[in-house]
Amino acid sequence: MIKYLKYSDLDSSLIKQYKYAVTEAFPEIILRSRVTEEYWSRLENYFPHTQVFMVNSNNDLLGFMNALPIFWDKIVSDLPKEGWDWLLKKGISDFENNIKPNILGGLQIIVTKKHQDRGYSKLLISKGKEVRKSLGLEKLIIPIRPILKHNHPKLLMKDYIDLKKNNKVYDPWIRTHLESGATLIKVCENSMNVRGNISFWEELLGEKITVSGSYKIDGALNLVTVDLEENYGEYREENIWIYYD
């Protein structure tokens, strides 16, 4: 039997499973996000009711959706290129400034590794739609992170979207959302941004950086640009804005 819990319902075992699932789902570069470090605890404190956790009768965490309400009064095609970072900061800022939301923003949907390929992601998407409706919000928007894009870090996301395999959309996560009724809006070119000095990037690369240029980081969707003279490197991750009515 599957049940759905909100963040404030989680016991210590489920919180431990939740934290482990996040670290297991993402490469190290994503876990180094300063935006996440600054804002994530406020997301859970301010919006426990929009953090949805799917749990079985053995108290095993099957998957979860992290989301937050925001205010957006423009058309969806005007959503910013900053994507994920913008969405998290916008939701927190709106709440702290008492701005009434009209949109639900989805930050991530994760199915724990040992429970994947059982259709749980589509159940979580459906639950996200239910949460949106229950709060009286107009749309569910998500800056999605395609799961196979890391295999093609040099390919621009606008071209990656068009890739096909056996006459189907190549990326399974894009395909899952389309099958669930999502509409693709556009690429958000700087959805998640990670910056650091050369030693920061050498640690992530596991090697010495001797020349300026572009570098491939494990699990990253795009290349990292490094400037030795400036002692600086930047990662701009492309995601895809989608929405559900």
Side-chain angles (χ1 to χ4, degrees), residues 149-157 159 214 216 220-223 238:
K149 176 65 172 69
H150 67 94
N151 294 324
H152 309 273
K154 295 181 181 179
L155 188 65
L156 291 175
M157 188 68 81
D159 299 317
S214 298
K216 183 181 183 301
L221 304 194
N222 301 90
L223 300 176
E238 295 180 297

Side-chain angles (χ1 to χ4, degrees), residues 32-217:
R32 295 293 191 97
S33 163
R34 291 176 184 171
V35 173
T36 304
E37 290 175 1
E38 182 177 351
Y39 289 93
W40 198 262
S41 62
R42 279 183 276 176
L43 166 79
E44 295 163 343
N45 290 334
Y46 294 167
F47 310 107
H49 57 295
T50 59
Q51 316 312 310
V52 177
F53 298 84
M54 179 189 289
V55 180
N56 67 14
S57 55
N58 295 321
N59 208 42
D60 293 329
L61 180 62
L62 306 178
F64 50 93
M65 177 195 73
N66 297 107
L68 78 174
I70 69 163
F71 176 73
W72 183 254
D73 61 351
K74 301 175 185 177
I75 57 177
V76 291
S77 60
D78 285 341
L79 284 165
K81 65 180 181 180
E82 285 75 23
W84 197 95
D85 286 349
W86 171 85
L87 180 60
L88 179 54
K89 292 189 288 186
K90 178 80 164 69
I92 299 301
S93 175
D94 285 357
F95 180 85
E96 293 178 342
N97 289 287
N98 297 309
I99 297 173
K100 185 178 179 180
N102 63 340
I103 298 288
L104 183 65
L107 291 164
Q108 61 188 20
I109 293 173
I110 294 175
V111 175
T112 55
K113 284 207 170 176
K114 65 180 179 179
H115 296 291
Q116 291 178 355
D117 301 319
R118 301 181 190 181
Y120 291 149
S121 59
K122 288 187 176 180
L123 292 179
L124 285 164
I125 291 169
S126 294
K127 194 65 178 178
K129 295 178 189 177
E130 289 178 22
V131 171
R132 191 271 297 174
K133 289 180 181 177
S134 71
L135 295 174
L137 303 176
E138 296 170 10
K139 288 181 174 62
L140 168 61
I141 61 170
I142 312 172
I144 63 169
R145 185 177 198 269
I147 60 176
L148 297 182
K149 176 65 172 69
H150 67 94
N151 294 324
H152 309 273
K154 295 181 181 179
L155 188 65
L156 291 175
M157 188 68 81
K158 67 181 181 64
D159 299 317
Y160 180 81
I161 290 175
D162 294 329
L163 291 182
K164 298 286 194 297
K165 185 176 181 180
N166 299 324
N167 294 319
K168 292 183 178 181
V169 173
Y170 169 71
D171 192 274
W173 195 220
I174 299 175
R175 197 165 62 240
T176 293
H177 279 288
L178 290 174
E179 290 171 353
S180 299
T183 298
L184 299 185
I185 304 170
K186 63 179 182 180
V187 173
C188 34
E189 295 89 351
N190 193 15
S191 188
M192 181 173 282
N193 190 279
V194 180
R195 303 170 185 174
N197 59 23
I198 298 302
S199 62
F200 173 86
W201 293 110
E202 287 178 339
E203 181 185 347
L204 281 176
L205 274 168
E207 64 182 69
K208 189 76 173 173
I209 296 174
T210 57
V211 294
S212 299
S214 298
Y215 288 82
K216 183 181 183 301
I217 301 281

